[in-house]
């Protein structure tokens, strides 16, 4: 953290340092909770999230590396909110990953799970369907297919869910 704190200016190195600081702060927050309390208490990721938010700001000349760091920082923010069951904030962070990003499909998959945790099965299903069109090979076929079947079931579309589960079983049996 000390080395990352010492990097200043308006270059990609500052953005990279903010991301690495966020990782260090995340690890620190996790280590601050005794092992026996981990099931009852969530880490306080506020400082890590703040550092990742700094890493989302592209400084200096925009580059592919700077955009990638920003995208990874949004994913980190979303995942930390998700872990702390702050699903609305997680969804908002996943939506910050631009469609042009290499990480967009991964953000969509994780966003679909966020919607499931929020109880919004229709949005989760629509997000997953968009993902299947954009990048059908990204996620392990079994995971995506089971999530789709589960969303259909939770939405009360029993016949379609049954068909989806049968397809999964036939494919992977």
């Amino acid at each position: 953290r000390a080395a990352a704190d010492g990097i200043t200016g308006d270059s990609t190195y500052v953005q990279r340092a903010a991301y690495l600081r966020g990782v260090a702060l995340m690890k620190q927050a996790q280590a601050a909770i005794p092992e026996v309390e981990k099931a009852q208490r969530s880490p306080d990721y506020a400082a890590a999230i703040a550092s990742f938010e700094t890493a989302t700001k592209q400084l200096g000349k925009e580059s592919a590396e700077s955009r990638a760091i920003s995208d990874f920082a949004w994913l980190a923010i979303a995942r930390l909110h998700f872990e702390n069951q702050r699903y609305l904030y997680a969804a908002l962070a996943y939506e910050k990953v631009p469609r042009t990003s290499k990480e967009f499909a991964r953000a969509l998959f994780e966003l679909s799970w966020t919607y499931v945790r929020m109880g919004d099965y229709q949005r989760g299903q629509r997000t997953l369907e968009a993902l299947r069109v954009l990048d059908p090979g990204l996620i392990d076929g079994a995971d995506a297919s089971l999530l789709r079947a589960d969303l259909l079931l939770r939405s009360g579309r029993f016949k379609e869910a049954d068909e989806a589960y049968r397809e999964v079983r036939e494919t992977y049996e």
Side-chain angles (χ1 to χ4, degrees):
R1 261 185 57 211
D5 288 340
I7 298 174
T8 60
D10 64 348
S11 71
T12 305
Y13 294 114
V14 174
Q15 190 181 10
R16 203 186 278 178
Y19 183 88
L20 293 174
R21 186 180 316 106
V23 172
L25 290 166
M26 176 193 71
K27 296 285 188 184
Q28 225 175 5
Q30 290 169 338
I33 298 178
E35 195 65 39
V36 295
E37 294 179 29
K38 288 190 178 185
Q40 295 86 16
R41 242 174 83 195
S42 295
D44 179 8
Y45 291 128
I49 289 171
S51 189
F52 285 128
E53 285 174 348
T54 301
T56 66
K57 297 171 181 72
Q58 298 177 33
L59 304 170
K61 186 177 178 182
E62 187 175 318
S63 66
E65 180 185 13
S66 179
R67 285 189 302 275
I69 294 167
S70 178
D71 298 342
F72 284 127
W74 282 120
L75 286 173
I77 292 165
R79 289 170 180 162
L80 293 179
H81 282 306
F82 185 92
E83 186 176 320
N84 279 340
Q85 300 176 5
R86 299 179 64 183
Y87 302 122
L88 180 59
Y89 291 106
L92 292 171
Y94 282 126
E95 290 171 357
K96 297 276 187 178
V97 177
R99 294 178 189 272
T100 56
S101 170
K102 291 179 182 178
E103 301 305 317
F104 182 67
R106 184 164 305 286
L108 272 183
F109 182 71
E110 293 179 21
L111 178 60
S112 66
W113 276 109
T114 303
Y115 287 140
V116 168
R117 291 295 177 110
M118 292 170 70
D120 191 345
Y121 306 124
Q122 287 183 335
R123 284 177 80 183
Q125 186 175 354
R126 284 195 308 262
T127 304
L128 187 61
E129 287 169 359
L131 174 64
R132 289 179 67 188
V133 170
L134 288 172
D135 194 351
L138 172 74
I139 308 301
D140 177 283
D143 283 345
S145 298
L146 283 172
L147 176 57
R148 180 177 166 269
D150 188 51
L151 289 171
L152 289 167
L153 179 66
R154 292 175 189 230
S155 298
R157 297 165 61 186
F158 303 117
K159 185 175 180 178
E160 293 173 64
D162 185 49
E163 289 173 16
Y165 282 122
R166 287 178 197 273
E167 286 175 19
V168 172
R169 189 186 71 217
E170 288 170 8
T171 302
Y172 298 100
E173 192 167 43

